[in-house]
Amino acid sequence: MNIQEFIIAALAEDIGSGDHSTLASIDAKVAGSAKLIVKEAGIIAGIRIAKEVFLHLDKEAIFTAYHTDGEYLEVGTIAFTVKAKAQAILQAERLVLNTMQRMSGIATLTHSYMEKIKNYSTTTILDTRKTTPLFRAFEKEAVLLGGAKNHRMGLYDMIMLKDNHIDYCGGIEKAIAAANNYLKEQQLQLPIEVETRSLDDVKRVVKVGGVQRIMLDNFTPQEIEAALEIINKQFETEASGGINFDTIEAYAATGVDFISVGAVIHHASSLDLSLKAVLHE
């Protein structure tokens, strides 16, 4: 879903048959201005989307950004101002705030995680597919703004053989062979990642090969270290499974290549922002 499709769908959900409060009280010709005020310090995200929302509702809107997505802003900072039809500002207000508050919360939490492992430059934090339906692209954009990286965007850009795939297929070796045969038959070039649940699984993957990355699922940091010795840099490595803010540093210290943390999205709290509208004189 691109930005315009998202805006159209979101406004249709919110406005429905009409913004009757605004239509009843504000003349269509009345112009206004508004400013986005930061009420809670953090990484700002979604400014570019806010601009598109205002322009969608009023093509003559004048949007002035004073800061860019990804900046850390203190309380009281004005992120942008907009001049447009008052009706457009009022109809855009909740969509702009909901989008920016959610994205800014994710970016801010992600930044906190990145600060936690800043001394471990060889390890990269990844998000997951634990996202809000139809809002994934913007949540993952917020992760990037917070300084981490995206894992796969969906089911289409990587083969990830997780526990259920392996169990249904009849084992790790069969699942890896089937995945490689599928890519060859379909003439696709996609990376293959396989989930392992024990050191024995790791040994089996290393023996059979045919993958780019080994996921170490629900391993302790000590088990990660043992797995890395077995893998010996032959494959990319990823730690996953319940890793949180309190434990991530211990995992980064193992030297694992990637740490996937669903919490940077699904545990993020919205950042407090406010859109204050003022009528033109």
Side-chain angles (χ1 to χ4, degrees):
M1 177 178 288
N2 62 37
I3 292 180
Q4 288 303 316
E5 290 172 333
F6 165 72
I7 291 171
I8 291 169
L11 289 175
E13 176 188 55
D14 200 27
I15 295 175
S17 62
D19 175 10
H20 301 301
S21 302
T22 296
L23 294 173
S25 59
I26 307 298
D27 188 279
K29 296 180 181 179
V30 173
S33 63
K35 56 186 177 181
L36 193 289
I37 304 172
V38 175
K39 299 181 70 178
E40 182 180 359
I43 304 294
I44 199 72
I47 292 176
R48 74 179 188 94
I49 299 171
K51 179 180 180 179
E52 293 300 323
V53 174
F54 288 114
L55 289 173
H56 178 84
L57 288 166
D58 182 355
K59 291 180 173 55
E60 297 181 357
I62 300 173
F63 186 94
T64 305
Y66 301 109
H67 297 277
T68 58
D69 288 328
E71 285 188 58
Y72 185 91
L73 301 185
E74 298 289 351
V75 174
T77 303
I78 297 175
F80 67 75
T81 59
V82 61
K83 294 182 179 179
K85 294 176 182 177
Q87 285 190 354
I89 292 174
L90 290 166
Q91 290 170 357
E93 178 181 4
R94 184 45 52 195
L95 175 55
V96 166
L97 287 175
N98 285 349
T99 300
M100 290 193 64
Q101 288 181 158
R102 175 70 178 148
M103 289 182 67
S104 298
I106 292 170
T108 301
L109 181 59
T110 301
H111 176 72
S112 297
Y113 270 84
M114 292 300 297
E115 284 293 297
K116 191 80 170 180
I117 68 161
K118 64 183 179 182
N119 294 325
Y120 306 95
S121 59
T122 60
T123 299
T124 301
I125 293 176
L126 302 175
D127 57 21
T128 71
R129 285 172 51 245
K130 296 176 182 177
T131 56
T132 306
L134 303 181
F135 200 66
R136 177 180 299 175
F138 306 119
E139 290 176 330
K140 283 181 169 283
E141 178 180 336
V143 168
L144 294 177
L145 292 169
K149 302 295 183 183
N150 295 148
H151 207 303
R152 55 180 178 162
M153 287 298 294
L155 296 172
Y156 53 84
D157 55 353
M158 173 186 278
I159 287 185
M160 182 183 289
L161 302 173
K162 301 199 73 174
D163 53 356
N164 287 337
H165 297 94
I166 292 167
D167 291 343
Y168 282 137
C169 193
I172 285 177
E173 293 84 356
K174 288 183 178 180
I176 293 174
N180 279 285
N181 289 335
Y182 174 83
L183 291 178
K184 184 177 181 180
E185 291 170 359
Q186 299 298 318
Q187 296 184 328
L188 294 172
Q189 292 185 336
L190 296 175
I192 298 176
E193 177 171 6
V194 61
E195 178 181 300
T196 58
R197 292 169 276 183
S198 67
L199 292 177
D200 181 61
D201 282 354
V202 173
K203 293 175 183 177
R204 292 166 66 187
V205 174
V206 170
K207 182 177 180 180
V208 71
V211 304
Q212 283 68 51
R213 186 182 302 173
I214 298 176
M215 177 188 289
L216 307 165
D217 192 51
N218 288 309
F219 282 47
T220 65
Q222 293 73 27
E223 289 169 334
I224 295 281
E225 291 176 348
L228 293 181
E229 288 188 14
I230 296 169
I231 296 166
N232 193 29
K233 300 186 183 297
Q234 297 176 73
F235 308 93
E236 293 179 343
T237 55
E238 176 184 335
S240 181
I243 300 169
N244 57 43
F245 189 77
D246 294 326
T247 61
I248 192 167
E249 187 173 4
Y251 282 91
T254 66
V256 69
D257 296 319
F258 301 99
I259 303 175
S260 54
V261 186
V264 296
I265 292 177
H266 63 71
H267 279 184
S269 298
S270 294
L271 202 70
D272 193 5
L273 306 172
S274 179
L275 186 70
K276 293 299 182 182
V278 181
L279 289 177
H280 284 180
E281 296 182 355

